[in-house]
Amino acid sequence: PVGIVPVPGRNKNQTMVFCGTCGAPLQDGAGFCMQCGTPAGGGGVPPQQQMGPGGWQGGGGGAGAGGLFGMLAGVNKLTIQQQMSLMEAATGTMGCGCCEALNTYKVFDGNTGQPLVFIEEKADLIPRACCAPNHSLLVHFYTTDSRGNKQQPIMTMERPGCPFDKPCVGLAACGECCLQEMTLHEGFVEGDIGSIPKQAVMGSAKVPEMGGFLTPSLEVFDRQGQHLAMVEKSGQCTCLFGGLTEMCCDQPFSVTRKSDGQSIANIIKEKPRGMQNMLQELLSDADTFTLEIIDPSVTPEQKASLLGSLVMLDYMFFERDSDGIKCEGGDPSINFCNFYFMGCIIPCKCEGGGESGEGGGGGGGDGGGF
């Protein structure tokens, strides 16, 4: 459904075409609405994959009709399940963390359980092994078949990080080299992280300066760079999260619109349900999230930006190997929770072990310490 009206200043043969669903103007030659994915009467197709300057690739399928925008148009709740790596879980629990697997996620319609999106990380081996979870990476989003197998690329997340692009990520958020950020590109994009051209940007997110102080925060921007929303940790004691608290408590984040402060969505990192999920939570960093849209005016493009922001939150706060219990150097370590301060994440943990008589005869004996 489209609407066609004359445009002042154009001749009688030139008209502006508007989407009949959301009212957004349609781009010339486009076969779908970039806001809601509604077909524009046929004849147009999303841009195909192309090679750009510097060897980057982009545009593979686009996020239009039949892609991400079309899928998200009628969905108000998403369930995101991270897939578990047994080798990563084993090495993380032993404390060495030498096998940092590439993350993969499956996204489902939260109401029907229908698979919608497959998400797959791409990152170099050395930064991933040495700097995770603060390493530079690309995350590709794909459509899926009815069984959740990936099909066509629809969106790419670019996150610059350690060791070269943003070497101080994970420290106090007081300068550009310390601020975590990500950019969302339409279609399939590859290239040098931090230097990929911005022709197909559809949104971005960035940690505010000073990191939200005692509240984990992320600013979300639209494709024009306008401040769309703020994602903040909610609930009691917003500065505490992770560790063993993940076993018994949901970790909620509120999403508020920047223009009027109204709540538009909720993001929840869910606590485990059932014994199998509890063991998975205890031994790995595979998590389950829910993104629930509570404002019906949120567009599919904005939903896509919030989905990318959710993945960013996972890397920022919940990708810490065996964040609850692990064995370090042969001694057990229990992390009760993490304390957030200006972008820094400080574990509040108890470490067991030690030999009596070490250090000139203090308290002696084995014991724990903070």
Side-chain angles (χ1 to χ4, degrees), residues 70-369:
M71 287 188 298
L72 295 180
V75 177
N76 58 17
K77 185 177 182 180
L78 297 172
T79 299
I80 299 89
Q81 294 181 350
Q82 183 178 355
Q83 307 302 293
M84 180 177 176
S85 168
L86 294 178
M87 184 62 70
E88 179 180 349
T91 58
T93 303
M94 291 187 294
C96 63
C98 60
C99 183
E100 185 64 32
L102 294 168
N103 282 9
T104 58
Y105 307 80
K106 290 184 178 181
V107 182
F108 303 88
D109 185 319
N111 295 316
T112 67
Q114 177 185 355
L116 297 176
V117 180
F118 182 86
I119 304 174
E120 186 175 52
E121 174 191 347
K122 181 177 181 180
D124 292 336
L125 175 62
I126 300 303
R128 190 172 76 248
C130 300
C131 305
N134 297 319
H135 58 296
S136 296
L137 54 86
L138 295 173
V139 178
H140 298 298
F141 295 68
Y142 299 84
T143 59
T144 68
D145 59 21
S146 59
R147 291 181 287 186
N149 300 313
K150 70 177 183 181
Q151 299 293 305
Q152 299 299 318
I154 47 179
M155 183 171 74
T156 300
M157 185 183 93
E158 173 193 11
R159 199 281 290 267
C162 297
F164 305 115
D165 302 305
K166 287 210 168 194
C168 298
V169 163
L171 302 179
C174 55
E176 190 63 31
C177 66
C178 311
L179 298 179
Q180 302 225 36
E181 63 179 326
M182 69 87 175
T183 302
L184 289 174
H185 304 265
E186 293 182 22
F188 185 90
V189 172
E190 287 189 317
D192 294 332
I193 298 172
S195 301
I196 295 176
K198 308 298 184 183
Q199 285 95 328
V201 169
M202 55 181 291
S204 61
K206 190 173 186 177
V207 171
E209 287 196 20
M210 311 311 292
F213 197 55
L214 290 173
T215 301
S217 304
L218 191 64
E219 297 174 328
V220 183
F221 302 88
D222 63 17
R223 65 171 63 236
Q224 285 81 33
Q226 299 297 313
H227 194 170
L228 170 65
M230 175 71 80
V231 182
E232 295 178 299
K233 180 78 166 58
S234 56
Q236 298 180 341
C237 298
T238 58
C239 60
L240 301 179
F241 65 94
L244 289 182
T245 65
E246 295 184 21
M247 299 293 293
C248 55
C249 302
D250 289 335
Q251 311 282 323
F253 291 79
S254 62
V255 184
T256 55
R257 187 185 289 111
K258 177 63 177 178
S259 59
D260 56 14
Q262 294 297 310
S263 179
I264 61 174
N266 292 311
I267 295 174
I268 298 176
K269 192 270 180 191
E270 297 184 358
K271 64 182 179 182
R273 269 77 173 177
M275 184 59 66
Q276 178 179 348
N277 290 337
M278 290 184 67
L279 289 174
Q280 176 176 299
E281 184 73 49
L282 190 64
L283 300 177
S284 75
D285 51 16
D287 302 310
T288 298
F289 294 85
T290 297
L291 169 60
E292 185 172 11
I293 307 298
I294 59 179
D295 184 346
S297 68
V298 175
T299 67
E301 184 175 64
Q302 293 169 348
K303 293 177 186 179
S305 294
L306 294 179
L307 176 59
S309 299
L310 183 152
V311 175
M312 180 70 169
L313 288 176
D314 185 37
Y315 280 101
M316 289 172 58
F317 302 121
F318 303 109
E319 281 297 297
R320 312 177 75 81
D321 289 330
S322 301
D323 199 26
I325 300 176
K326 66 171 64 175
C327 186
E328 298 178 310
D331 297 324
S333 172
I334 301 175
N335 184 27
F336 297 102
C337 64
N338 297 314
F339 176 71
Y340 181 86
F341 179 68
M342 292 176 56
C344 297
I345 298 176
I346 306 167
C348 301
K349 63 182 181 180
C350 175
E351 297 179 346
E355 298 180 5
S356 66
E358 279 187 349
D366 291 347

